[in-house]
Amino acid sequence: MSTAADSITTQEARYEYLLRLADDRLILGHRLSEWCGHGPILEEDIALANMALDYIGHAASLYEYAAEIEGKERHRDDLVYFRNDVEFKNLKLVELPRGDFGFTMARQFLFSAFSYFLYEQLCEVEDEQLGGMAQKHWKEIKYHLRHSREWVLRLGDGTKESHRRIQDAFNEIWTYTGEMFYQDLVDELLQDEKLATDLNNFKADWEELVTSTLEEATLEVPDFDQFMAEGSRKGLHTEHLGHLLAEMQHLRRSYPDADWQ
Amino acid sequence: MPTTKTTYRKEDIWNLLSEVMDPEIPVLSIIDLGIARDVTITDANKVLIRITPTYSGCPAMKAIEDDISNKLRLNGIQHFDIKKDFSETWTTDWIPEEAKQKLKEYGIAPPGKTDSSDDFLSSLRTSGRSVPCPYCDSNNTKIQSKFGSTACKAQYYCQSCDEPFEHFKCI
């Protein structure tokens, strides 16, 4: 598709790329944090809050770097609290309401598996700062993948009820997985300069890990070639993102100069 | 008020940092944990300290920064800057043996050596290494939760002495 973005500069592309990475992590971190105090068991409540914390930590370093690249004297918090929904570039997958525990874990597994392969490659980009962050985050992502994969097995190969719920979750969420591998000029420009990774490099690996895990969990694997939602990397979202942002941003926007000190 | 010092050596600063304890694990200093990365003193006698978090979202970073500032000020050092470096890949392998022993005595099972084999995906299918109980050294322990009271710990239970305990996750 030919758009005005045809004339994007490397600096703009780098900013956009970091924003996409950061927004995914911030929004999923926020969704996970909604479980705090509501987890099905205490241990899982703690696990979900811990993962939320990891994601918000990842997002914080990515936003800080994005703001630096943008060079407009914005603080990372400005990017979090003073952008509107159409300016957020996260996947629809991560903004969907948390649903039941099965839905949360199905999404967590799919996203963690994607992040595992993505970050493995990001560790190698010719951008020292992003590569350094990726190495640190990758360790935590592995932990999330291990944890969420175990839950997919446990719920899928568990009781009739848990099996039904997590199967429903995968069926419902599937249409939102295609966007993970969406690429446009931003990616292509940076790939040429080795500042970004080609998502096609690991699409087959991701599908294989997802397929083998679902099969082991006695679940049916939905069709990878079915209709897939799109548009989120351009700012098109579900109605859910606006509600999430309203809650997340309202305090800061009501008191824009408030400080912890 | 302590008198303001204007000259100090690097070793003095490291000695002060060795007295700054981790707020979550008060038996270990920020040097034991590898949080304090390096100290430089500029020509203008300004102290620059670089710290890195154990986990990306570690909420104790602010407390650690404040503790370092207080420690320096109380010792008459006013001219300093603490830089947080989020890009360094922290690992439990930076914790020295003596510090691991202190963790054990405190009741937290210390981390083992990180697994250098790169085959993470096939390791998903195997269960992790057993973690010996810090109280009775039994290997008959069971993981209760992969996550614990802080980002760096997991919950275990000893089936020999019936004590629950925390394990410092190995990353």
Side-chain angles (χ1 to χ4, degrees):
Chain A
M1 196 169 69
S2 176
T3 64
D6 281 352
S7 59
I8 193 167
T9 65
T10 305
Q11 183 197 17
E12 286 164 344
R14 288 177 78 194
Y15 171 69
E16 185 69 21
Y17 191 73
L18 290 166
L19 217 50
R20 291 174 183 182
L21 287 170
D23 286 346
D24 280 348
R25 276 138 198 95
L26 174 75
I27 301 300
L28 186 54
H30 188 87
R31 279 293 182 226
L32 287 171
S33 76
E34 293 172 352
W35 278 100
C36 192
H38 301 276
I41 46 171
L42 181 61
E43 287 80 1
E44 211 43 45
D45 200 287
I46 294 168
L48 292 162
N50 262 277
M51 290 195 284
L53 199 59
D54 287 342
Y55 279 129
I56 290 166
H58 299 177
S61 4
L62 289 163
Y63 282 128
E64 198 160 303
Y65 190 32
E68 188 189 317
I69 297 281
E70 190 195 25
K72 291 186 181 164
E73 307 272 304
R74 287 210 276 184
H75 185 266
R76 65 184 187 195
D77 283 0
D78 298 327
L79 299 178
V80 172
Y81 295 115
F82 296 99
R83 279 184 304 142
N84 294 324
D85 53 357
V86 292
E87 295 165 278
F88 272 78
K89 303 298 170 63
N90 59 277
L91 299 167
K92 293 187 186 73
L93 177 83
V94 297
E95 74 200 30
L96 299 172
R98 69 180 197 264
D100 61 14
F101 184 68
F103 186 89
T104 286
M105 276 304 152
R107 163 167 61 194
Q108 195 56 47
F109 167 67
L110 294 169
F111 186 75
S112 297
F114 171 74
S115 299
Y116 169 79
F117 293 113
L118 171 63
Y119 272 69
E120 181 179 33
Q121 303 226 331
L122 283 182
C123 293
E124 307 295 326
V125 293
E126 291 184 6
D127 173 339
E128 218 171 280
Q129 205 161 334
L130 179 58
M133 281 181 211
Q135 282 179 31
K136 185 170 185 71
H137 301 175
W138 196 38
K139 291 189 173 193
E140 294 161 22
I141 289 165
K142 286 180 189 171
Y143 212 77
H144 301 169
L145 175 57
R146 190 181 286 278
H147 186 68
S148 55
R149 182 180 175 277
E150 283 174 8
W151 270 111
V152 169
L153 299 179
R154 211 174 278 140
L155 295 173
D157 197 11
T159 66
K160 224 171 158 181
E161 174 76 358
S162 71
H163 179 91
R164 180 185 66 76
R165 284 190 182 226
I166 196 154
Q167 181 71 63
D168 286 351
F170 277 114
N171 295 344
E172 190 186 332
I173 211 165
W174 213 252
T175 191
Y176 298 101
T177 56
E179 276 191 318
M180 291 195 284
F181 294 95
Y182 168 85
Q183 303 195 91
D184 60 15
L185 274 168
V186 170
D187 302 77
E188 287 156 22
L189 188 105
L190 298 181
Q191 282 161 19
D192 288 345
E193 305 192 28
K194 297 198 168 52
L195 296 169
T197 180
D198 186 346
L199 304 177
N200 291 316
N201 288 347
F202 59 83
K203 190 165 193 284
D205 295 328
W206 177 81
E207 288 185 0
E208 193 191 312
L209 176 61
V210 169
T211 302
S212 63
T213 302
L214 266 64
E215 282 171 353
E216 196 180 333
T218 73
L219 293 165
E220 260 176 56
V221 185
D223 184 359
F224 285 107
D225 295 323
Q226 73 174 65
F227 169 78
M228 292 290 174
E230 54 186 39
S232 61
R233 296 301 192 202
K234 295 193 181 303
L236 299 175
H237 293 282
T238 66
E239 70 271 32
H240 306 295
L241 181 65
H243 293 280
L244 181 152
L245 293 179
E247 188 185 307
M248 188 177 81
Q249 297 178 332
H250 127 263
L251 188 73
R252 190 56 188 262
R253 290 191 180 209
S254 308
Y255 302 96
D257 300 322
D259 197 355
W260 290 109
Q261 297 294 329
Chain B
M1 275 297 283
T3 43
T4 302
K5 280 189 203 155
T6 47
T7 54
Y8 20 74
R9 294 167 310 156
K10 254 187 185 178
E11 301 93 270
D12 302 331
I13 308 297
W14 280 112
N15 284 339
L16 291 175
L17 292 179
S18 72
E19 293 166 16
V20 177
M21 296 294 150
D22 180 86
E24 303 280 4
I25 307 159
V27 287
L28 295 188
S29 76
I30 58 170
I31 296 179
D32 289 333
L33 279 167
I35 294 170
R37 301 308 305 152
D38 63 42
V39 172
T40 33
I41 297 175
T42 67
D43 293 343
N45 255 318
K46 184 175 186 177
V47 179
L48 305 176
I49 295 170
R50 191 164 59 84
I51 57 175
T52 197
T54 53
Y55 281 74
S56 321
C58 180
M61 277 304 264
K62 177 79 175 77
I64 291 172
E65 212 182 329
D66 290 349
D67 290 349
I68 296 174
S69 303
N70 288 338
K71 178 61 84 180
L72 294 177
R73 288 203 187 96
L74 281 172
N75 286 278
I77 298 165
Q78 307 291 344
H79 199 39
F80 61 87
D81 195 25
I82 302 166
K83 187 181 180 299
K84 283 180 279 186
D85 183 349
F86 289 91
S87 61
E88 211 168 351
T89 312
W90 182 84
T91 165
T92 41
D93 291 344
W94 290 350
I95 304 176
E97 278 312 313
E98 313 87 77
K100 287 185 181 175
Q101 193 54 34
K102 281 193 241 172
L103 263 181
K104 183 174 183 270
E105 284 159 17
Y106 187 61
I108 298 174
K113 189 107 184 63
T114 52
D115 193 353
S116 54
S117 78
D118 273 336
D119 202 4
F120 172 77
L121 290 178
S122 47
S123 82
L124 284 173
R125 290 166 186 282
T126 55
S127 55
R129 283 179 286 192
S130 73
V131 173
C133 171
Y135 302 110
C136 73
D137 295 317
S138 162
N139 275 316
N140 185 17
T141 61
K142 183 170 101 173
I143 187 160
Q144 297 280 86
S145 170
K146 280 197 159 55
F147 295 84
S149 59
T150 66
C152 52
K153 286 175 279 181
Q155 300 286 332
Y156 277 74
Y157 185 78
C158 177
Q159 300 179 106
S160 295
C161 71
D162 278 335
E163 279 292 336
F165 65 92
E166 288 186 308
H167 167 51
F168 202 104
K169 297 187 306 209
C170 173
I171 68 164

